[in-house]
Amino acid sequence: MRGNDGEVIDACLAWAAAGHRFALLTVLTTYGASPRPAGALAAIRDDGRIVGSVSGGCVEDDLVDEVRGGWLASAERPLLRVFGRDAGERARYRLPCGNTLRVAVEPRCDLEQLAQIQHLLHQQKLVRREVDMTSGASRLREVGEAGPLEERARGFAITLGPRYRALLIGGGEIGCYLAPLLGTLGFSVALCDPRAEYADGWDLTDAPVSRAMPDDWIVAQAADARSAVLALSHDPKLDDLALMEALKTPAFYVGAVGSAANNAARRQRLLEFGVTAAEAARLHGPIGLDIGSRTPAEIAVSIAADLIAHLRRPAAACATANARLPSDRSTLSGLF
């Protein structure tokens, strides 16, 4: 979902600052089953330390051995590594039947360029990186939307993006389970709850808490197409304020907990407070996939699964979500 773009770039810069050399790895194509998609990043330090992955563990050992063996000292230009050319290689690397993996390995990276990527990702920007495999040269340009990895005659182009964000309203029990779960999935998580009885007890350091009013907080967060807004407080005074602002943003998912009846009433209230019919139609509720969840922890799992579905297969996820709604809820260029 997040890939691991920021994590890998951060590690490369930290390693370079400490005097280490490293190789940057990019998955170009996969054929057959693969745990890592085209565009996935990894990096290997000169002592063999690795961040990210290109195959989920199948070929990393060989790549690490090559780097430890001194390959970085002599390599000047990017190298294309192909794994799984035949049945013997697929067996050796434990690749699924029929799978082939192609990886670009860059032994020299422009550190100033990596620092620029890091800055843009921290600013929630998308950046397109274009690499010439024959010379090792690369260039950047900021882009407005994500695009797939593109192979070209002399190299490839890849869009690098910041972490997806989850903006939670309400620090109750569901939020306490959901925040760390989303963190393990690569989301950057933040919470808003002006109620002292919840904010005072929030102790998840990786998910900062704000005591601002939810509508003001959502405006300040500037939710974008890589953001999800989840109203979890069960308090209409808080949830509705957040949703009124969130539905005006490009957030890829805006939803609220509650029963079908409660969410139907919520949509009607939002319409009365100036939310347009098109904006109200974007509201997901009840949120979460229907997995029979009952406990707060199970509900958190269902919500996380719903977010993954919308990121991985947006059209199918939306169709599935709409299909399970009761009918009465309708009221509501070349390189270089």
Side-chain angles (χ1 to χ4, degrees):
M1 174 182 329
R2 164 196 165 201
N4 53 350
D5 303 345
E7 178 185 355
V8 171
I9 298 300
D10 288 349
C12 290
L13 290 170
W15 292 346
H20 288 281
R21 298 185 64 179
F22 61 87
L24 180 64
L25 317 177
T26 304
V27 175
L28 296 182
T29 53
T30 63
Y31 299 96
S34 174
R36 302 295 289 139
L41 298 184
I44 302 175
R45 201 166 72 178
D46 49 16
D47 61 358
R49 184 171 179 178
I50 185 169
V51 61
S53 70
V54 295
S55 73
C58 295
V59 306
E60 279 79 0
D61 286 350
D62 272 44
L63 292 167
V64 167
D65 287 345
E66 290 174 7
V67 170
R68 279 179 174 161
W71 173 76
L72 277 175
S74 59
E76 295 293 335
R77 294 183 178 83
L79 173 70
L80 175 64
R81 289 298 314 273
V82 181
F83 300 93
R85 290 184 178 90
D86 53 39
E89 277 199 1
R90 288 192 289 275
R92 175 189 172 194
Y93 294 119
R94 305 182 305 280
L95 293 170
C97 181
N99 191 34
T100 302
L101 176 68
R102 299 172 65 251
V103 180
V105 184
E106 297 177 69
R108 300 282 189 275
C109 290
D110 183 336
L111 295 181
E112 290 187 4
Q113 187 182 92
L114 293 187
Q116 185 179 358
I117 293 173
Q118 182 186 61
H119 174 74
L120 290 169
L121 296 188
H122 288 177
Q123 295 294 316
Q124 288 295 119
K125 304 292 186 182
L126 294 169
V127 58
R128 190 78 167 166
R129 182 169 182 257
E130 300 174 334
V131 179
D132 186 333
M133 290 284 287
T134 60
S135 66
S138 60
R139 67 184 181 189
L140 303 179
R141 60 186 176 91
E142 189 177 328
V143 294
E145 59 183 31
L149 181 141
E150 177 187 354
E151 284 204 71
R152 300 171 176 177
R154 295 171 56 186
F156 64 93
I158 180 176
T159 301
L160 305 175
R163 298 175 69 181
Y164 282 90
R165 293 189 296 165
L167 307 177
L168 311 185
I169 309 301
E173 200 171 8
I174 293 176
C176 288
Y177 285 109
L178 182 59
L181 178 57
L182 291 177
T184 65
L185 295 171
F187 282 82
S188 171
V189 183
L191 171 82
C192 177
D193 200 325
R195 303 170 297 181
E197 60 269 28
Y198 291 100
D200 288 349
W202 188 262
D203 59 357
L204 301 175
T205 56
D206 290 338
V209 60
S210 170
R211 297 169 185 262
M213 291 305 293
D215 51 345
D216 295 333
W217 185 70
I218 290 296
V219 171
Q221 293 299 307
D224 57 15
R226 297 175 74 85
S227 302
V229 179
L230 306 169
L232 310 173
S233 79
H234 288 285
D235 184 342
K237 297 189 298 295
L238 300 180
D239 289 345
D240 289 4
L241 283 174
L243 296 171
M244 288 170 62
E245 297 299 335
L247 290 169
K248 300 174 184 176
T249 73
F252 77 89
Y253 189 104
V254 178
V257 295
S259 68
N262 284 341
N263 274 282
R266 187 194 313 279
R267 287 184 177 86
Q268 188 59 45
R269 289 197 304 271
L270 292 173
L271 291 172
E272 293 170 357
F273 281 100
V275 172
T276 69
E279 290 168 346
R282 296 184 56 219
L283 178 63
H284 296 274
I287 53 176
L289 296 183
D290 185 1
I291 59 173
S293 54
R294 291 291 182 268
T295 69
E298 292 171 348
I299 293 170
V301 170
S302 76
I303 294 170
D306 205 4
L307 294 186
I308 293 171
H310 278 77
L311 286 173
R312 293 303 189 197
R313 48 181 190 277
C318 290
T320 300
N322 291 336
R324 68 171 191 262
L325 296 179
S327 59
D328 61 356
R329 296 173 70 170
S330 63
T331 55
L332 308 181
S333 81
L335 178 62
F336 294 94

